Amino acid sequence: MASSLFFFLLTSLSSHFLPLSILSATVVEDLANLTPPPDFSTTITTNCLRDPLLRYCNNTSSSPMDIVEIFRSTIVASHLCNESKNPNCVESFPKIRINSRPKTAALYLSFDFFWKYCPLTVVEIELVNNSLKTGFPTNVLSCAQIRTLDLSYNQFSGFVPVQNLSKLPNLTRLNLSYNRFSEDKISDSGFFKRFNASSFIQSGVLTNVKRYKMKVLVLLIVFPLMVILLCFCFGWICLKRPDYLPRTCRRSNKFTSAMLDAATDEFSDQKLVSKTNRVDIYRGTLRDGTEAKIEVYTEKVSREKRREFAEECEAVFKLRQKNLVRVLGWCNGRNLRALVTEWINGENVGTWLSSSSASSWRRRLRVVMGVVEGICYLSEQWPEITFDLSTSGVLLSDEDQEPLISQFKIGDGNNSSTNIFKFGLFLLEMITNLRPDEEQEDSERRYLEYIRVHYPDNLGRVIDEKMKLEDRSMEQVKQAITLGLMCTDKPPLKQPSLTQIYDMVVSLYDH
Ligand SMILES: *[C@@H]1O[C@H](CO)[C@@H](O)[C@H](O)[C@H]1NC(C)=O
Ligand SMILES: *[C@@H]1O[C@H](CO)[C@@H](O)[C@H](O)[C@H]1NC(C)=O
Ligand SMILES: *[C@@H]1O[C@H](CO)[C@@H](O)[C@H](O)[C@H]1NC(C)=O
Ligand SMILES: *[C@@H]1O[C@H](CO)[C@@H](O)[C@H](O)[C@H]1NC(C)=O
Ligand SMILES: *[C@@H]1O[C@H](CO)[C@@H](O)[C@H](O)[C@H]1NC(C)=O
Ligand SMILES: *[C@@H]1O[C@H](CO)[C@@H](O)[C@H](O)[C@H]1NC(C)=O
Ligand SMILES: *[C@@H]1O[C@H](CO)[C@@H](O)[C@H](O)[C@H]1NC(C)=O
Ligand SMILES: *[C@@H]1O[C@H](CO)[C@@H](O)[C@H](O)[C@H]1NC(C)=O
């Protein structure tokens, strides 16, 4: 009945005013040029009397009937009917179907007045594959009687007005597939029972309320948890294994217990190189592959001492000289204090002295010269240092035979007199290839006594026989022994200063 009424209007339009067949201009031109015929208001009044349910028959003071808009909507209707290839637009207008014609579809969607007075005969709306990029076209919902709504293959976005769609009682086929709608917190699960998943293929809409809730759960709970976990991991890495951080975001000189644990296979015996009552020395491999010597100080110390330890480590870390082993960093943990230096492949001077390659005085003197240069640099840079100079603590690198002082006595305070004493012992050992027997009590005193007994006339007895000394060298060696004995003077009355030592060794070396 509605359809005949609508077409009564169209027919009356065509018969009294404009036959549809000659509506040849475009809809836009017609909208601009055509004006309602004089009897148009009579026509719609007649129509409304016949069917007051017609959408335009709402003549109230709050929403008065707009004759011009109704007229314009009939013009659009007549064009749209033809565009949609309805079989006979004079008799029926059941469907709006504009597929794969983006411009036409967009144009007709923009005629709000048409949709407002949507003809009651329309039961099917298809706007498929039109690249429409707006939000959901809510104006089509004015056609509340529709049975089919197909908006697939567009680029609609935003939320789907589920509530409004639910209110359409006759809608049985809905297709929103292949669009870009937003996921919605859709509470109306009935809506999704009415239309199954094939209405929402790749539409952006989540049809499964449970899945939606899962997503919300993930976003609200799991995601923050992940973030917290990540922060935790990051914090853990920062605290425990900063070597896993990129080089630029960490202090390369800081080692943690965990890092040293990993470098030394948890301080395994295989990695233990030497052990004294105060220092354990390990050979470890850092994460970047660097071989390192790790000196672990086993003594338990106070918090104050630990602070001093860190300061001293910081100081040795800055030292750079060819006769000092390079300090890579340190660890100052509550349970582990350690100094990490580069690993030098080479033998220590003590071992070297016993080998045949130490038979030249000149070469021994070169080692002494290097050591003196090293300790002068050390005490210049850092007067407070105590160095634990001994033939076993100086290495000859395999590469260039350059002597490298490899042991610092970190955390012992300053004693320059001790330093010079230690150098004296070192020098005497270099000449005699004899050293105090550490097993014995008072060994250093007895050792020095032994040398002094033969000084100065009987020195042949104490000088290492391996050195084949000519007269000139003999003279130098004697001078060196004199220097060694001066350094080891106790109480240190005759002890020379480091500068004096340096000058003397240089003059020996240069002659
Ligand atoms: C109706 O559509 C046909 C093609 O489908 C077209 O040739 C004709 O001009 C159209 N008529 C009007 C009045 O728009
Ligand atoms: C007329 O307007 C009223 C309220 O404004 C609405 O309930 C009714 O559905 C309208 N009639 C038609 C045919 O649109
Ligand atoms: C709408 O109602 C007014 C009076 O309220 C009347 O004058 C007018 O003719 C009516 N319009 C139509 C199209 O029926
Ligand atoms: C959409 O329209 C284009 C032409 O505008 C056509 O090539 C394409 O096959 C159409 N796709 C579908 C799914 O209809
Ligand atoms: C739904 O269809 C029935 C039967 O065709 C019809 O009576 C009813 O008016 C339609 N509902 C709407 C809102 O058009
Ligand atoms: C959709 O429904 C809401 C309330 O349910 C209403 O406020 C809004 O005007 C409706 N929109 C359309 C286009 O029908
Ligand atoms: C989905 O509903 C349509 C009718 O709207 C029906 O043809 C189709 O078989 C249904 N598909 C599934 C998987 O239920
Ligand atoms: C919606 O359109 C897609 C693509 O053409 C199709 O695969 C799907 O079956 C349609 N769903 C319904 C309910 O018509």
Side-chain angles (χ1 to χ4, degrees), residues 90-110:
V90 180
E91 294 197 344
S92 71
F93 183 15
K95 66 183 180 220
I96 295 171
R97 180 182 286 166
I98 304 179
N99 294 345
S100 306
R101 291 160 67 203
K103 280 191 184 146
T104 313
L107 177 67
Y108 281 99
L109 266 182
S110 73

Side-chain angles (χ1 to χ4, degrees), residues 14-63:
S14 2
S15 52
H16 294 287
F17 171 61
L18 268 179
L20 194 63
S21 52
I22 57 161
L23 267 175
S24 54
T26 67
V27 63
V28 180
E29 284 167 9
D30 282 355
L31 283 175
N33 299 333
L34 301 179
T35 45
D39 61 344
F40 186 67
S41 108
T42 326
T43 311
I44 55 176
T45 310
T46 322
N47 285 344
C48 285
L49 282 176
R50 292 196 182 183
D51 185 358
L53 285 178
L54 276 175
R55 229 179 280 289
Y56 54 71
C57 298
N58 247 349
N59 190 13
T60 61
S61 54
S62 62
S63 62

Side-chain angles (χ1 to χ4, degrees), residues 200-219:
F200 304 98
I201 303 162
Q202 295 189 32
S203 61
V205 179
L206 269 186
T207 53
N208 192 323
V209 179
K210 267 191 200 150
R211 248 173 63 201
Y212 178 80
K213 283 183 180 161
M214 278 298 286
K215 269 203 154 170
V216 170
L217 202 75
V218 166
L219 274 174

Side-chain angles (χ1 to χ4, degrees), residues 28 68 130 190 262 374 411:
V28 180
V68 177
N130 285 317

Side-chain angles (χ1 to χ4, degrees), residues 174-324:
L174 173 70
N175 204 340
L176 303 181
S177 303
Y178 305 101
N179 276 293
R180 297 176 185 168
F181 290 113
S182 308
E183 293 168 9
D184 198 355
K185 50 166 195 252
I186 289 165
S187 48
D188 190 350
S189 57
F191 181 72
F192 292 109
K193 290 208 179 95
R194 197 167 142 200
F195 309 106
N196 62 32
S198 83
S199 297
F200 304 98
I201 303 162
Q202 295 189 32
S203 61
V205 179
L206 269 186
T207 53
N208 192 323
V209 179
K210 267 191 200 150
R211 248 173 63 201
Y212 178 80
K213 283 183 180 161
M214 278 298 286
K215 269 203 154 170
V216 170
L217 202 75
V218 166
L219 274 174
L220 289 184
I221 296 171
V222 180
F223 183 69
L225 269 180
M226 292 287 285
V227 170
I228 290 170
L229 206 73
L230 263 175
C231 287
F232 186 79
C233 286
F234 188 74
W236 185 86
I237 287 176
C238 281
L239 277 178
K240 296 275 184 180
R241 293 302 303 269
D243 49 341
Y244 277 93
L245 294 174
R247 212 169 265 278
T248 45
C249 356
R250 65 181 148 102
R251 287 178 60 191
S252 60
N253 51 3
K254 279 267 186 183
F255 288 83
T256 62
S257 318
M259 277 160 80
L260 297 183
D261 249 17
T264 57
D265 298 344
E266 301 185 343
F267 297 103
S268 69
D269 288 345
Q270 284 99 315
K271 300 280 182 175
L272 186 64
V273 178
S274 77
K275 194 175 176 74
T276 66
N277 55 357
R278 285 187 54 209
V279 188
D280 294 350
I281 295 181
Y282 290 86
R283 177 178 186 164
T285 311
L286 306 182
R287 211 179 81 83
D288 61 4
T290 317
E291 294 262 3
K293 187 175 98 175
I294 298 161
E295 289 175 32
V296 179
Y297 301 90
T298 46
E299 227 174 16
K300 284 261 171 291
V301 294
S302 65
R303 181 184 286 232
E304 178 63 15
K305 280 267 180 202
R306 270 180 54 206
R307 200 181 50 74
E308 282 172 20
F309 173 80
E311 278 170 14
E312 292 179 15
C313 286
E314 188 118 34
V316 277
F317 175 73
K318 289 185 187 134
L319 302 176
R320 294 283 182 273
Q321 205 266 344
K322 68 176 168 44
N323 299 107
L324 298 179

